[in-house]
Amino acid sequence: AVVSTQSGHYGRGNLSCEDIKNGTDNLMSNIKARYDKIAALQPNELEKCLDFLKETHREFDTMSGFYEFPSQVSPDDKIRDASVEAEKSLSKFTVEMNSRKDVFDVVCSYNDTITPPTAESKRLIARVIRDGKRAGLHLDKEKRDGVKDINTRISELQIQFQKNMNDDKTCLFFSHDELNGVPQEFLKGLDQNEEGKYKVTMQYPLLYPVLKQCSIEATRRKLLITRYSMCKDSNTEILEELVKLRHKKAALLGYDTHADFVLDARMARTKSNVKAFLEDMVAKMKSPLKKEFEGFLKLKEEECEKNKEEYSGVVEPWDIYHFMQITEKQQYSVDNELLKEYFPMKRVTEGLLRIYQDIFNLRYFVNELWHFLFDPYCITHASNCYCV
């Protein structure tokens, strides 16, 4: 994990619950004060707006991650819960700050009267104005408040959705025969129960290697269905509410659908462009895909016969990763297990960091170890050693 750091304990992963709470409160207080300064600018002080904006975005974008990150990686339940609470507070705070019409009006005045000095500055001002309009700040107060309330609720639901997924401890146990094809080295890293069966969690580092390499269709099927069913009861309700809220918000902002709202800020811009792109891609891929799936079916038939499993004659979702890997190995001599020997983690990490150091004029230093699964780094500017 590459963890940027600015000062004190912020660069370390061993934040206490109190550190997270106090740090979050202080950050919000500082950012609010910065926004208040922008809102208070007089017409003859507008040139200060750009620097204030840059500092505000830099501080919040950098520091907020320190308090939200432990929710994803900390082995301590209390730290994760404290981080989730920080994420909730920061998310609600973000909605509040993004809904400030006084700040939006000052930025618009700056844009109308002053030419930003650089292309980057021009882009920043344009994005702030664009995002302000997407928060409804150009609308009347009733609609602005409606959009703000919806954004607050959407934020709460998204955080709860992710927390449900993070807290889910679903796992399955399989015998050695049920994991036929999975390399022995991989199996050695799995926990076993009293019956000697191997524990496979729904997390990416364990799930996908098994889906790719296990030759038993029943195992792959059970794994993928279980993965896609995680938090089904709790998160289905959240998704249903999110769909309604997103549609309501789009209508308030003058869009026909949520898709129109999302695409308006993306390169595709419109649904018709997306549809044309997808239809063109499907037309071009139809023939190669048919040929590839025919190959998958042949491999599947052979494998089912060998394993004495019933052959369905259909390429199922849980088959794709597995037969893609076999095809790569048989037809193109690509063996990912052999490739790993040439790309050890230490060498790859050092190489990647070296590239980023050169591109962005940064330096990386190994920071204090806070968990055996992570190698944290301190990131500094190469020119002045200022921690970023």
Side-chain angles (χ1 to χ4, degrees):
V2 178
V3 183
S4 59
T5 176
Q6 190 168 40
S7 63
H9 62 251
Y10 295 130
R12 305 200 301 267
N14 56 353
L15 294 172
S16 68
C17 294
E18 186 178 3
D19 290 334
I20 293 173
K21 175 69 168 62
N22 293 340
T24 300
D25 290 343
N26 290 336
L27 176 60
M28 291 189 295
S29 178
N30 291 341
I31 296 302
K32 183 180 183 303
R34 289 182 181 276
Y35 273 116
D36 289 343
K37 288 175 67 175
I38 295 174
L41 289 174
Q42 300 301 309
N44 62 339
E45 299 176 307
L46 286 177
E47 70 277 359
K48 299 178 183 178
C49 176
L50 180 61
D51 287 338
F52 286 174
L53 269 179
K54 288 192 292 187
E55 284 302 304
T56 302
H57 281 263
R58 181 196 62 78
E59 181 178 357
F60 188 75
D61 292 347
T62 301
M63 301 302 293
S64 59
F66 297 142
Y67 308 117
E68 296 173 338
F69 187 58
S71 70
Q72 306 292 321
V73 298
S74 176
D76 188 317
D77 289 347
K78 292 181 179 178
I79 298 296
R80 288 202 306 273
D81 288 343
S83 181
V84 168
E85 289 306 311
E87 188 176 2
K88 289 178 181 178
S89 297
L90 289 168
S91 183
K92 184 177 181 180
F93 176 77
T94 299
V95 173
E96 289 284 342
M97 293 302 102
N98 289 344
S99 301
R100 289 190 59 163
K101 190 174 187 319
D102 52 355
V103 174
F104 176 74
D105 289 341
V106 170
V107 176
C108 288
S109 295
Y110 174 94
N111 189 58
D112 292 339
T113 58
I114 298 175
T115 301
T118 65
E120 292 83 2
S121 299
K122 184 177 181 180
R123 179 180 173 84
L124 173 62
I125 294 295
R127 286 298 178 93
V128 171
I129 293 174
R130 183 201 71 181
D131 292 345
K133 291 180 178 179
R134 290 171 67 79
L137 299 185
H138 61 305
L139 303 176
D140 61 63
K141 187 176 186 306
E142 183 179 355
K143 288 184 178 180
R144 286 202 309 271
D145 290 344
V147 173
K148 179 182 174 181
D149 290 343
I150 290 173
N151 282 338
T152 300
R153 181 56 180 161
I154 286 176
S155 174
E156 293 170 352
L157 291 171
Q158 289 173 336
I159 292 172
Q160 187 60 50
F161 183 99
Q162 190 58 53
K163 184 179 187 301
N164 292 344
M165 294 295 289
N166 292 343
D167 290 347
D168 192 289
K169 299 296 190 262
T170 299
C171 63
L172 297 173
F173 289 89
F174 297 100
S175 67
H176 191 279
D177 289 344
E178 290 174 316
L179 293 173
N180 184 52
V182 179
Q184 194 62 37
E185 283 300 311
F186 181 85
L187 294 178
K188 287 180 182 178
L190 299 180
D191 293 331
Q192 292 179 267
N193 63 10
E194 296 177 354
E195 300 174 0
K197 291 189 174 183
Y198 295 94
K199 178 182 178 180
V200 181
T201 70
M202 299 299 107
Q203 302 305 312
Y204 180 91
L206 298 184
L207 175 67
Y208 284 91
V210 177
L211 287 174
K212 288 179 179 180
Q213 297 173 103
C214 182
S215 64
I216 306 299
E217 182 182 7
T219 299
R220 299 194 307 271
R221 179 180 184 276
K222 189 174 182 179
L223 269 173
L224 198 63
I225 289 177
T226 301
R227 176 67 179 85
Y228 287 168
S229 301
M230 284 174 60
C231 306
K232 180 177 64 175
D233 295 334
S234 56
N235 279 354
T236 295
E237 293 180 5
I238 291 176
L239 284 173
E240 288 173 347
E241 185 175 353
L242 277 172
V243 168
K244 294 176 183 177
L245 287 171
R246 287 172 172 174
H247 182 73
K248 185 177 180 180
K249 174 183 169 181
L252 283 172
L253 292 170
Y255 295 93
D256 290 335
T257 66
H258 174 67
D260 291 301
F261 168 74
V262 171
L263 290 171
D264 190 41
R266 296 187 179 177
M267 186 170 63
R269 301 294 304 208
T270 67
K271 290 183 296 187
S272 58
N273 287 339
V274 173
K275 184 180 179 181
F277 171 79
L278 291 175
E279 288 177 343
D280 179 62
M281 185 172 64
V282 168
K284 291 176 179 177
M285 296 300 297
K286 199 169 185 178
S287 178
L289 184 65
K290 182 175 181 293
K291 182 179 179 181
E292 187 167 62
F293 269 41
E294 287 173 352
F296 286 178
L297 283 174
K298 185 177 180 181
L299 290 170
K300 181 174 182 176
E301 185 175 15
E302 293 172 356
E303 201 168 76
C304 285
E305 183 178 354
K306 180 180 178 181
N307 295 328
K308 297 181 179 179
E309 291 187 285
E310 184 179 349
Y311 172 60
S312 65
V314 177
V315 177
E316 302 286 1
W318 49 83
D319 293 327
I320 294 175
Y321 287 113
H322 178 59
F323 293 115
M324 277 179 62
Q325 178 153 292
I326 293 177
T327 301
E328 288 174 355
K329 189 173 181 179
Q330 290 184 354
Q331 294 189 16
Y332 308 109
S333 301
V334 176
D335 189 330
N336 290 305
E337 294 304 310
L338 289 176
L339 279 174
K340 287 179 183 178
E341 298 177 13
Y342 296 92
F343 296 95
M345 179 62 72
K346 187 174 186 297
R347 183 188 301 172
V348 171
T349 302
E350 290 176 350
L352 285 172
L353 295 183
R354 195 179 307 118
I355 291 171
Y356 281 109
Q357 285 183 160
D358 293 341
I359 292 176
F360 298 112
N361 195 33
L362 300 172
R363 290 296 177 266
Y364 293 83
F365 303 95
V366 176
N367 205 2
E368 178 182 334
L369 181 65
W370 61 277
H371 192 278
F372 73 96
L373 288 176
F374 293 89
D375 294 320
Y377 292 83
C378 170
I379 308 174
T380 69
H381 285 294
S383 56
N384 56 18
C385 294
Y386 177 74
C387 293
V388 296

